[in-house]
Amino acid sequence: MPTKKSSIGWIGAGRMGYEMAGRLAKDGADILVWNRTREKAKPLEKYGAKVADQIAELAARDIVFCMVATYKDVKEVVTNLLAGKTKPRMLIECSSISLEGSAELRELLEKKGIQYLAAPVSGNAKVIKAGKLSFVCSGPKAAYDEAKPFLDAMGKGSSWVGEGELARIVKICHNVFLGVVTQSLAEITVLAQKAGVPRAAFLDFINQSVMGSTFSRYKTPALVNLDFHVTFTPQLLRKDLDLGLDAAKHFEVPMPLASITRDLIQSLIGNGLDDEDFAKLIVQQARASGLELASENARVDDGLQA
Ligand SMILES: NC(=O)c1ccc[n+]([C@@H]2O[C@H](COP(=O)([O-])OP(=O)(O)OC[C@H]3O[C@@H](n4cnc5c(N)ncnc54)[C@H](OP(=O)(O)O)[C@@H]3O)[C@@H](O)[C@H]2O)c1
């Protein structure tokens, strides 16, 4: 059975893909990276990665990872990857995409004799740097077992949830929760502030309470000091809420909180507040409450170094 000596191809050096590929390169993997905008992948060379000019160069690799944006993008890059005669043994797809897209991809790859693992992730670029990325995987157990050492090298672990596209629904549910929790945090933080409590003090209490979480802690600097450097765009979050609502329709599940959160993210985009991180939901919430936020310039811990 191939081990971590397998050669790796990596498609996509965006916010997530760059950091994930960087961790594999630092771990000593033989990794060849392709990104549509080549210069974004170039700095990975300092960690020992090679950068390809053409996506076709990745077809001769044992295992190819894919981390792009939507299913449409996944389909495009995989079609280009497999345009020639050479093919990898396995493809591991990490973008957040639909169950239907993932199933279509599985069919395409299986016809070509390529193993396919669906492996979406939880975490952002900062989380990856802190070694805390996690994967949820589905597909053949043997493919997961082979992929596991590479997944382990990129974060704190992975869960195999079964065959087929099950990982996709887990990830979609995860991101619906992300949207709803972020909107809820924005609402309660603005309510507390309007009643006179500084955001730093309020979130310090929440983070220490049983309601606090890794997420509420690492979003605290954004909410307190209005640091809206993009970790995740409102557009990608809207995509995931739409995936959640499509799945809800398919499985006949009412999701009232997800529906209203989707529309609040839509308002964020419509109001032109989509130029930075999705945590700008708090700015929208404050404006709806007659409040213009200012940074508190407070020393707050993101909890990621602990
Ligand atoms: N950011 C997060 O916190 C986070 C967390 C978990 C999961 N995700 C998911 O992970 C995926 C990537 O997110 P991200 O934040 O890294 O996005 P991003 O920074 O926007 O990066 C997107 C990547 O996809 C590439 N790409 C997009 N369309 C393409 C196409 N048609 N052909 C070739 N390459 C294409 C981009 O290439 P260029 O550089 O040339 O534009 C870039 O490398 C998404 O599915 C997202 O939902 C994100």
Side-chain angles (χ1 to χ4, degrees), residues 131-181:
K132 294 185 176 169
L133 184 75
S134 54
F135 291 85
V136 56
C137 305
S138 62
K141 181 68 168 40
Y144 171 67
D145 290 340
E146 185 180 345
K148 196 172 178 307
F150 295 101
L151 306 180
D152 288 347
M154 282 185 272
K156 68 171 185 191
S158 54
S159 314
W160 181 75
V161 292
E163 298 288 333
E165 316 324 316
L166 291 178
R168 300 298 182 184
I169 192 67
V170 176
K171 171 61 190 172
I172 289 168
C173 291
H174 171 285
N175 269 30
V176 167
F177 190 42
L178 169 71
V180 171
V181 166

Side-chain angles (χ1 to χ4, degrees), residues 13-16 35-37 40 67-69 73 96 123 231 239:
R15 282 180 201 93
M16 298 295 286
N35 193 54
R36 178 176 60 183
T37 313
K40 281 204 218 164
M67 187 53 152
V68 288
D73 306 317
S96 305
T231 64
K239 161 191 66 99

Side-chain angles (χ1 to χ4, degrees), residues 1-11 24 30-32 58-66 81 87-93 114-115 117 142-151 154:
M1 140 115 45
T3 63
K4 271 180 90 181
K5 292 200 170 30
S6 299
S7 61
I8 301 293
W10 191 283
I11 301 171
L24 277 185
D30 169 9
I31 180 171
L32 177 64
L58 273 59
R61 298 260 126 182
D62 297 317
I63 301 176
V64 174
F65 282 84
C66 177
L81 172 76
K87 59 182 189 199
R89 196 176 59 248
M90 193 195 310
L91 190 118
I92 303 178
E93 210 304 304
I114 301 168
Q115 289 198 80
L117 191 68
Y144 171 67
D145 290 340
E146 185 180 345
K148 196 172 178 307
F150 295 101
L151 306 180
M154 282 185 272

Side-chain angles (χ1 to χ4, degrees), residues 117-131:
L117 191 68
V121 302
S122 172
N124 61 29
K126 220 170 156 186
V127 171
I128 303 169
K129 279 196 189 121

Side-chain angles (χ1 to χ4, degrees), residues 243-266:
L243 290 174
L245 293 172
D246 286 348
K249 190 170 166 202
H250 178 83
F251 291 106
E252 301 290 2
V253 175
M255 297 189 73
L257 295 180
S259 298
I260 196 154
T261 303
R262 188 263 173 216
D263 275 356
L264 287 162
I265 298 161
Q266 182 63 68

